[in-house]
């Protein structure tokens, strides 16, 4: 059974940093592309970043490029998101997700989601 447990969120001032973690279990973590997806209050799911199974390729939404860094620790089955220079518009619940070839980046088709971790950027 797939389990994704996000942590590391919190309240931070604009310009601050946070590091999110996603502990994965129930599948071969190192074999899958992983993504971070966020949902701001009153809005839909928004893709943030992805990393391929080997960790050699990463992709970022334009809104976070240059500020966020995605990484993995396959020995710990853990996905990370280092977030720097945070802005108020980064306020959202952040989720990690295991990539599905069937669903692709259509997040509405994914049926399993972890509990997410709340990130609030405010002075």
């Amino acid at each position: 059974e797939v389990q994704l447990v996000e942590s590391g969120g919190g309240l931070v001032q604009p310009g601050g940093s946070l590091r999110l973690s996603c502990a994965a279990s129930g599948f071969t973590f190192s074999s899958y592309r992983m993504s971070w997806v966020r949902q701001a209050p009153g809005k839909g799911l928004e893709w943030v970043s992805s990393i391929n199974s080997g960790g050699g390729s990463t992709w970022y939404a334009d809104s976070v490029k240059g500020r966020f860094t995605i990484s993995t620790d396959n020995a710990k089955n853990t996905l990370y998101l280092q977030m720097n220079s945070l802005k108020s518009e980064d306020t959202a619940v952040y989720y990690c997700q295991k990539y599905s070839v069937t669903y692709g980046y259509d997040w509405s088709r994914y049926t399993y989601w972890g509990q997410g971790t709340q990130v609030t950027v405010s002075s």
Side-chain angles (χ1 to χ4, degrees):
E1 179 185 2
V2 172
Q3 283 204 324
L4 301 168
V5 180
E6 302 91 345
S7 63
L11 173 63
V12 62
Q13 293 186 343
S17 298
L18 282 173
R19 188 194 196 200
L20 307 184
S21 298
C22 167
S25 61
F27 63 101
T28 306
F29 178 77
S30 59
S31 297
Y32 286 87
R33 181 183 301 181
M34 295 294 295
S35 298
W36 285 99
V37 180
R38 67 187 181 186
Q39 186 166 31
K43 297 190 176 181
L45 293 167
E46 176 192 16
W47 172 72
V48 174
S49 180
S50 296
I51 185 167
N52 73 344
S53 59
S57 294
T58 57
W59 303 271
Y60 298 93
D62 287 344
S63 59
V64 307
K65 198 172 296 183
R67 299 187 298 121
F68 290 9
T69 303
I70 190 171
S71 63
T72 56
D73 184 335
N74 289 336
K76 296 182 178 180
N77 288 351
T78 301
L79 175 72
Y80 300 102
L81 186 68
Q82 178 66 43
M83 306 188 298
N84 298 330
S85 303
L86 283 161
K87 305 176 181 180
S88 58
E89 50 263 46
D90 295 318
T91 295
V93 178
Y94 284 71
Y95 301 92
C96 61
Q97 187 56 269
K98 166 181 166 286
Y99 182 78
S100 164
V101 174
T102 302
Y103 301 152
Y105 288 95
D106 185 352
W107 307 112
S108 67
R109 299 185 66 185
Y110 287 78
T111 56
Y112 172 78
W113 294 89
Q115 86 287 349
T117 186
Q118 175 71 49
V119 172
T120 303
V121 185
S122 174
S123 55

